Amino acid sequence: MAVSLCGKRLLLTRSNLLANPKRHGYIVLVPEIGEDLTERNPLTRTENGLPEFNTVTIEKCVGAIGQQAAGVERSVRALEEKITAAEGGLDVIKDILLPLEEVVAPLETTWGVAKTLYLGNSSKMPTKSYMTIHERARAARRFKFNSLPIYDALQEAIDAKEGSFTSEENRLIKKYLLESKLGGITLDEPTKTELRDVMLNLTNERSKFHGKKEVAVKKFSHVIKDPAVMKEFPPSILQALAVDQSQVVKGPWKVSLQPFVVQSFLEYCPDRTQRWNLWQADTRKCSNHSDRGLENSTHLETIRSLRKRQAKLLGFESYVHMSMETKMAGSVEQLRSTLDELFHYARPALDNEMADLQKFANENGFKDSLDIFDVPYWKRRQFAELHQFDKEALKEYFPMPKVLGGLFSLAESLFNIRIVERTGVDTWDEDVRFYDIFDASKGTEPIAGFYMDLYSREEEKISVAGNSGWMVGIVNRSTVAKEKPLAALICNFPAPLYGKPSLLTIDDVQILFHKFGHALQHMLTEVHYSEVAGLSNVEWDAVEVSGFVLTSLLQNSDVIRSISSHYGTGETLPDLCVDSILKRHKHLAGYELCRELYFSNLDLDLHLQSDYWLDIVKKLYPQFHPFPLDKKDAHPCSMSPIFSGDWGAAYYSRIWSRMVAADVYSAFVEAKQTGQQSDVGLRFRNTFLALGGGCHPSEVFRRFRGRDPSPKALINALDINKASVLHGTEQIPILEQ
């Protein structure tokens, strides 16, 4: 069966029955300030409790957000007057935070609807229009954290009677205090002025960094005409790279520096020279070794300097120390200790893996020593040969209806919920489905709802190659505003074709599980205030935990079987294929973890040290890589998440979330041996899914596991503890999966 799987390749087009007609939208110029709205605004709630997406217009979105943002600002000013007049004696929950909750909730809903439309049907919500809404909403949110009277009242209350507030109220108050503090509210006027200048310059530098990176990526292109170079590429990637869609197999093909393209090319290209050409173009972009007009080295150093000054003005030792204020890790020392322990096991595993990979490559005709641009190609070939794994062929065993049904059944059994599709709901496209979530043991009213927009649509839907999709929290739970959670999962999976269902790769399945884990945390929250409901106010390095926990469930063979069967015959997935899927995440796990640890430590060192960025790279790189650093490798000059995004001094967050999730999943593994997985599922629901941002994630974990998290579960899950025995490291006991 494994042999027959490997030979199958599908290139299909959409069926007339299931295809969506292209809709051509128009970019509408809209006013910056909202116009007067009719009494019945489709962005607000309707009789069935849901927005009327079919009647939403750009004008109404902009109008609603303008009015609601102005309403927030008026409410803040009114509260300031009330606080000043009262001269103390106010109930900060009843008199300050609840009124803010009531006025902010409609704005958050409008923002969520606009974001959903932008990602799900950009012809109804073009980028320029959405950015107008986005920036106006963000400004209103900042405004409520920039009130000194509100800050002083909350600080006085927490100082006087912290113990009298519930845990959730404490988190809510402290969120306001921290947001205000990080905005500089406690600084004197000269320092505030300097901080504003620093932040303005930082915004400009980050924008320049991003702009140059985007230009450099778009500027590069390489056309390949030789079919031999592309002979190992799967049909889906050939189609994405083909210059002429009618000549997908014959070519030519255009290769770019888009991350998805670079990753795929290095994985499938058998020509080492071609791999090196693309890799060196990718690692040298935005450096002095390429187009000097696009160099980012200067901006990188300026951003580092400005962030250092920002932290100092706010009273922190460094930008990293400031970052820890919003992280589960809590301190630089704790973070470093955890990363070091992971590295202690990952590096010996890496050395063993590379020795095995070198041997495999040599046995298959490779005459040179492996370099970093060779690893993705030989990694794929090694795993395919060892485990008869073929990602494309396996798609036939993962049709969307089977995967989705299995995912819903799994969630229902673990978390004591029911997921029921509701028809007749207004959506932004005919492919979109809506589901209610019910508590299986309480009442008949839904506790939350979510839209699923799973399939790609040309010219309508925001699509980023290699992007994992989005979970949009449209409405946060709020007992004050009487709002139930509402979410949207928006992905770009292949659409149904010729009457056949959408067929998913195992990577697609992982994406779906991960995003659904996010959605569950948004929808099953039980907190009362929207500011701390679901994923709101969850520390950055813990935001991905629920997603990774759901993905970890795919390490269970019973789960794999429950979501798979051949789309045509109903045949079960062969045991050999199940086994290969379970082993994927362990293959070269030490190498992959070392790479993540390198980038995480590089990010930290760049924001802790003052040395020139290249000197830091030269010192750090050899610790995590078995290959020499190329003299012209300037990869930090295009690291957008760190220098133009929001992940500076936070790049490690993915590793941290994976570590916590692995420890959570190990409780499910232990429970499997005693038949108590449903008990663990309910405990997970009552902690991670229910408490959301209303409780610090360290305390959430303690309530779930009875102790603090440990890296050992991740080390076990990746199976990298064995190699360490050869290097004098104590082996960690392994739990059977």
Side-chain angles (χ1 to χ4, degrees):
M1 178 56 63
V3 175
S4 65
L5 278 177
C6 295
K8 295 180 181 177
R9 288 289 185 269
L10 299 175
L11 267 179
L12 303 172
T13 56
R14 304 184 68 169
S15 69
N16 292 332
L17 177 64
L18 297 172
N20 295 306
K22 294 182 180 178
R23 301 182 182 89
H24 301 282
Y26 300 89
I27 296 178
V28 179
L29 298 178
V30 294
E32 292 294 327
I33 300 175
E35 61 195 55
D36 289 338
L37 301 176
T38 58
E39 183 178 346
R40 187 168 181 268
N41 178 5
L43 293 174
T44 59
R45 315 316 294 277
T46 61
E47 289 79 3
N48 67 355
L50 299 171
E52 292 182 337
F53 278 103
N54 271 329
T55 57
V56 169
T57 65
I58 297 169
E59 292 85 353
K60 288 175 181 176
C61 280
V62 174
I65 210 74
Q67 287 192 346
Q68 291 160 353
V72 170
E73 291 157 1
R74 285 194 303 271
S75 295
V76 169
R77 294 190 187 97
L79 282 173
E80 289 177 336
E81 294 176 2
K82 183 177 181 179
I83 292 168
T84 302
E87 296 182 352
L90 291 178
D91 183 326
V92 295
I93 300 297
K94 177 182 177 183
D95 297 326
I96 297 176
L97 296 181
L98 293 190
L100 283 174
E101 175 104 349
E102 289 178 337
V103 74
V104 169
L107 179 141
E108 296 285 354
T109 299
T110 301
W111 196 0
V113 169
K115 188 183 299 183
T116 300
L117 276 179
Y118 171 60
L119 296 173
N121 193 332
S122 56
S123 64
K124 289 188 174 183
M125 183 60 63
T127 300
K128 183 177 179 180
S129 302
Y130 174 70
M131 290 310 299
T132 298
I133 293 166
H134 179 75
E135 291 304 321
R136 187 67 184 96
R138 287 184 64 183
R141 281 186 60 82
R142 286 194 299 267
F143 193 82
K144 68 178 181 178
F145 296 125
N146 197 33
S147 167
L148 188 57
I150 291 177
Y151 175 86
D152 287 340
L154 295 177
Q155 186 65 62
E156 181 181 342
I158 207 76
D159 289 341
K161 51 180 181 178
E162 180 174 353
S164 65
F165 296 114
T166 66
S167 172
E168 185 182 329
E169 290 168 346
N170 266 314
R171 285 278 287 180
L172 180 61
I173 293 171
K174 289 180 177 179
K175 173 181 180 175
Y176 270 83
L177 294 176
L178 180 59
E179 292 277 3
S180 300
K181 180 184 177 183
L182 294 179
I185 200 166
T186 61
L187 304 178
D188 58 38
E189 283 306 317
T191 309
K192 279 184 180 179
T193 300
E194 183 179 357
L195 180 63
R196 280 194 292 268
D197 291 340
V198 166
M199 298 308 294
L200 179 60
N201 290 333
L202 190 52
T203 299
N204 291 335
E205 289 296 318
R206 289 170 60 184
S207 177
K208 291 175 183 177
F209 187 101
H210 176 75
K212 287 186 176 182
K213 192 265 183 83
E214 290 295 297
V215 172
V217 168
K218 292 177 181 177
K219 187 175 181 180
F220 175 90
S221 67
H222 175 57
V223 175
I224 295 176
K225 299 180 180 179
D226 184 1
V229 175
M230 310 297 288
K231 63 183 179 181
E232 297 182 32
F233 283 69
S236 58
I237 299 178
L238 287 177
Q239 188 171 25
L241 301 182
V243 175
D244 182 351
Q245 289 297 303
S246 67
Q247 300 294 326
V248 170
V249 178
K250 292 183 179 180
W253 303 269
K254 185 177 180 180
V255 178
S256 71
L257 292 184
Q258 291 292 344
F260 170 74
V261 175
V262 173
Q263 177 184 341
S264 300
F265 193 82
L266 294 180
E267 187 176 350
Y268 289 99
C269 178
D271 188 316
R272 192 185 197 216
T273 301
Q274 293 279 6
R275 292 200 302 268
W276 181 84
N277 282 335
L278 187 64
W279 175 85
Q280 62 87 21
D282 187 48
T283 56
R284 297 177 188 180
K285 65 180 180 287
C286 299
S287 73
N288 289 320
H289 304 296
S290 54
D291 187 338
R292 298 214 168 193
L294 296 177
E295 68 87 16
N296 266 337
S297 177
T298 304
H299 301 302
L300 187 159
E301 289 296 288
T302 304
I303 290 168
R304 291 177 65 202
S305 177
L306 289 169
R307 283 175 171 170
K308 183 177 181 179
R309 186 57 186 159
Q310 175 192 0
K312 292 292 185 184
L313 290 172
L314 290 170
F316 295 98
E317 181 180 339
S318 73
Y319 191 74
V320 178
H321 289 81
M322 186 182 82
S323 174
M324 290 299 104
E325 292 290 308
T326 56
K327 308 300 184 295
M328 179 182 176
S331 71
V332 179
E333 294 73 24
Q334 176 62 36
L335 172 58
R336 288 289 204 188
S337 175
T338 301
L339 297 181
D340 287 348
E341 184 170 357
L342 289 170
F343 176 70
H344 191 57
Y345 289 89
R347 180 65 208 225
L350 159 66
D351 292 335
N352 287 350
E353 292 163 355
M354 288 301 102
D356 289 343
L357 191 65
Q358 181 73 61
K359 180 181 178 182
F360 173 82
N362 292 155
E363 290 173 348
N364 285 273
F366 187 68
K367 305 300 183 183
D368 300 295
S369 297
L370 289 172
D371 209 328
I372 192 168
F373 51 85
D374 297 313
V375 174
Y377 175 76
W378 289 107
K379 175 187 176 183
R380 176 185 62 82
R381 284 196 53 181
Q382 183 188 44
F383 190 73
E385 182 167 315
L386 288 175
H387 302 288
Q388 292 78 52
F389 180 80
D390 190 321
K391 186 189 300 185
E392 288 292 305
L394 283 173
K395 288 164 59 174
E396 297 190 354
Y397 285 85
F398 291 97
M400 178 64 81
K402 180 68 175 180
V403 174
L404 201 58
L407 172 58
F408 287 175
S409 294
L410 180 65
E412 289 176 336
S413 64
L414 286 177
F415 308 129
N416 196 34
I417 58 175
R418 289 188 298 113
I419 301 172
V420 181
E421 182 174 0
R422 191 200 302 185
T423 58
V425 171
D426 234 16
T427 65
W428 54 94
D429 189 90
E430 61 187 19
D431 275 350
V432 180
R433 298 291 179 263
F434 182 82
Y435 300 87
D436 286 307
I437 293 185
F438 298 84
D439 189 317
S441 59
K442 297 178 185 175
T444 57
E445 285 295 312
I447 58 174
F450 64 100
Y451 300 89
M452 274 197 146
D453 185 1
L454 299 176
Y455 307 127
S456 60
R457 291 189 294 276
E458 291 183 21
E459 298 184 11
E460 271 191 9
K461 204 171 182 182
I462 296 293
S463 177
V464 180
N467 182 269
S468 59
W470 297 269
M471 192 290 290
V472 181
I474 302 175
V475 180
N476 273 15
R477 185 176 193 268
S478 171
T479 56
V480 178
K482 296 181 176 59
E483 298 280 21
K484 295 177 182 178
L486 182 65
L489 274 74
I490 302 174
C491 300
N492 279 290
F493 299 129
L497 309 164
Y498 287 137
K500 297 177 182 178
S502 173
L503 302 176
L504 306 182
T505 65
I506 190 63
D507 293 330
D508 293 335
V509 173
Q510 290 176 334
I511 289 169
L512 181 60
F513 270 62
H514 192 93
K515 294 304 171 186
F516 194 64
H518 276 238
L520 286 176
Q521 188 163 357
H522 176 81
M523 295 184 291
L524 298 186
T525 187
E526 294 180 3
V527 300
H528 300 89
Y529 304 99
S530 66
E531 288 286 352
V532 293
L535 292 163
S536 299
N537 199 46
V538 174
E539 276 66 8
W540 289 32
D541 49 2
V543 165
E544 299 285 341
V545 169
S546 293
F548 279 125
V549 169
L550 264 288
T551 304
S552 296
L553 294 172
L554 293 169
Q555 296 171 24
N556 185 309
S557 58
D558 293 336
V559 172
I560 293 294
R561 291 187 177 92
S562 73
I563 64 169
S564 63
S565 64
H566 192 275
Y567 79 94
T569 66
E571 177 187 6
T572 59
L573 187 64
D575 290 343
L576 184 62
C577 295
V578 174
D579 186 58
S580 67
I581 290 172
L582 296 178
K583 290 178 178 177
R584 274 187 81 215
H585 72 287
K586 299 179 182 180
H587 185 235
L588 265 62
Y591 171 79
E592 297 295 346
L593 183 55
C594 275
R595 280 180 60 79
E596 282 197 63
L597 289 169
Y598 165 70
F599 288 120
S600 299
N601 280 283
L602 176 62
D603 174 36
L604 295 174
D605 285 352
L606 287 170
H607 290 99
L608 282 168
Q609 302 176 20
S610 299
D611 296 343
Y612 183 54
W613 68 264
L614 184 55
D615 294 329
I616 295 174
V617 169
K618 288 179 178 178
K619 180 180 178 181
L620 203 60
Y621 192 91
Q623 299 176 35
F624 296 88
H625 296 86
F627 317 110
L629 176 67
D630 186 89
K631 292 181 179 179
K632 296 183 179 180
D633 186 338
H635 56 271
C637 292
S638 57
M639 291 179 68
S640 293
I642 293 175
F643 294 108
S644 60
D646 296 321
W647 294 97
Y651 196 88
Y652 79 90
S653 295
R654 179 181 172 85
I655 290 181
W656 190 275
S657 286
R658 284 179 62 198
M659 177 197 74
V660 175
D663 207 340
V664 169
Y665 177 65
S666 67
F668 285 91
V669 175
E670 294 164 6
K672 183 181 178 182
Q673 300 168 354
T674 59
Q676 297 178 319
Q677 281 190 303
S678 59
D679 293 339
V680 176
L682 284 177
R683 193 163 77 244
F684 182 72
R685 175 183 169 179
N686 292 332
T687 51
F688 281 92
L689 301 182
L691 299 174
C695 184
H696 193 280
S698 295
E699 175 60 25
V700 173
F701 186 89
R702 291 186 197 105
R703 294 186 191 183
F704 175 78
R705 209 72 170 96
R707 56 169 173 78
D708 289 330
S710 164
K712 294 179 180 179
L714 179 58
I715 292 165
N716 281 336
L718 297 177
D719 204 17
I720 59 174
N721 57 351
K722 296 174 183 176
S724 61
V725 176
L726 302 175
H727 293 72
T729 303
E730 181 183 358
Q731 187 173 2
I732 300 170
I734 298 176
L735 290 169
E736 291 298 328
Q737 306 261 328

